[in-house]
Amino acid sequence: MKRDLYFSKPLINAAGSLGFAPDTRSGIPLDSFGAFVTNPISLRPRLPTAHPAVVEFPGGFLMHTGLPNLGFNGTLKKFAAKWNRSDLPIIVHLMADRPEETQRMVRELENVENVMAVQLGFAPLLADDIILMNLEMCLGEVPLIFALPHEQVLTLGRQLMDGGASAISIASPRGAVYDKAGNLVTGRMYGQSLFPRSLDIVRSAVMSGLQVIGSGGVWTGADVESMLKAGAIAVETDAQLWAPKDAAA
């Protein structure tokens, strides 16, 4: 029987923001979170991109890393015991571009202690039918959260919820900017300037009857409250966690 998705506290970290397991040495007040979301995990190990980059733009920055990780088996070997010992329930974020591979990972995670849900993330412009196939093949005991880009939250979210997904979360939007050397860099965008668009997506999604985890540009306590007021069941924060305390106030 599938477990229900429940957050004791509505604030959680976004995938890619705090590593693969909670670490009290980070200085982040983890006791304010309702769950911990891991960095993205792929079936096979991934190296960092050959040209990692962080490029600022007004109101935020773009980051390109290649999503390095040890691969699914390596990550479980290194972090599963830490997940089990954690005071926070764990949401494991999987790269889910190939449904048959995603299914293998989800089935194994159903037997890992303290994993409360699996969040599935997808490559840019992945076809709707592949995402829906992930749902069909991976539905089981563990709740599934689908991290979708803005464009697909409203067009695909209803089908996913009707098919058994537990929630929809908003993936970091992608963009492109030129760096100081004149090179065009693509990657995911972060920063306060994203918040108004993200809040509007949450509002529209809730009006459509979706269970939504709000994210994107969440920087202050007021931003969190605005997301919850709009109907989000939880709120993810990302780059704010890396900012000095005076900048995040």
Side-chain angles (χ1 to χ4, degrees), residues 72-116:
F72 184 74
N73 289 335
T75 300
L76 282 189
K77 183 177 180 180
K78 184 171 182 179
F79 294 106
K82 294 182 180 180
W83 296 346
N84 188 24
R85 293 194 301 268
S86 172
D87 292 333
L88 288 174
I90 305 299
I91 299 175
V92 178
H93 184 105
L94 299 178
M95 300 183 211
D97 300 335
R98 298 179 178 178
E100 67 282 357
E101 295 183 353
T102 310
Q103 183 186 49
R104 288 168 54 191
M105 293 187 284
V106 171
R107 292 291 172 261
E108 190 160 346
L109 288 170
E110 290 178 344
N111 299 312
V112 177
E113 293 293 330
N114 204 30
V115 172
M116 71 173 288

Side-chain angles (χ1 to χ4, degrees), residues 58-74:
F61 63 92
L62 179 147
M63 185 164 62
H64 178 57
T65 65
L67 302 178
N69 69 94
L70 296 173
F72 184 74
N73 289 335

Side-chain angles (χ1 to χ4, degrees), residues 149-194:
H150 289 183
E151 300 81 9
Q152 289 175 303
V153 170
L154 299 179
T155 61
L156 189 58
R158 182 73 269 164
Q159 285 181 265
L160 291 167
M161 293 293 301
D162 289 345
S166 294
I168 306 299
S169 65
I170 303 173
S172 298
R174 297 186 63 85
V177 293
Y178 284 99
D179 63 16
K180 292 181 179 179
N183 301 308
L184 186 65
V185 179
T186 61
R188 297 197 179 275
M189 298 187 294
Y190 302 89
Q192 289 175 280
S193 63
L194 305 179

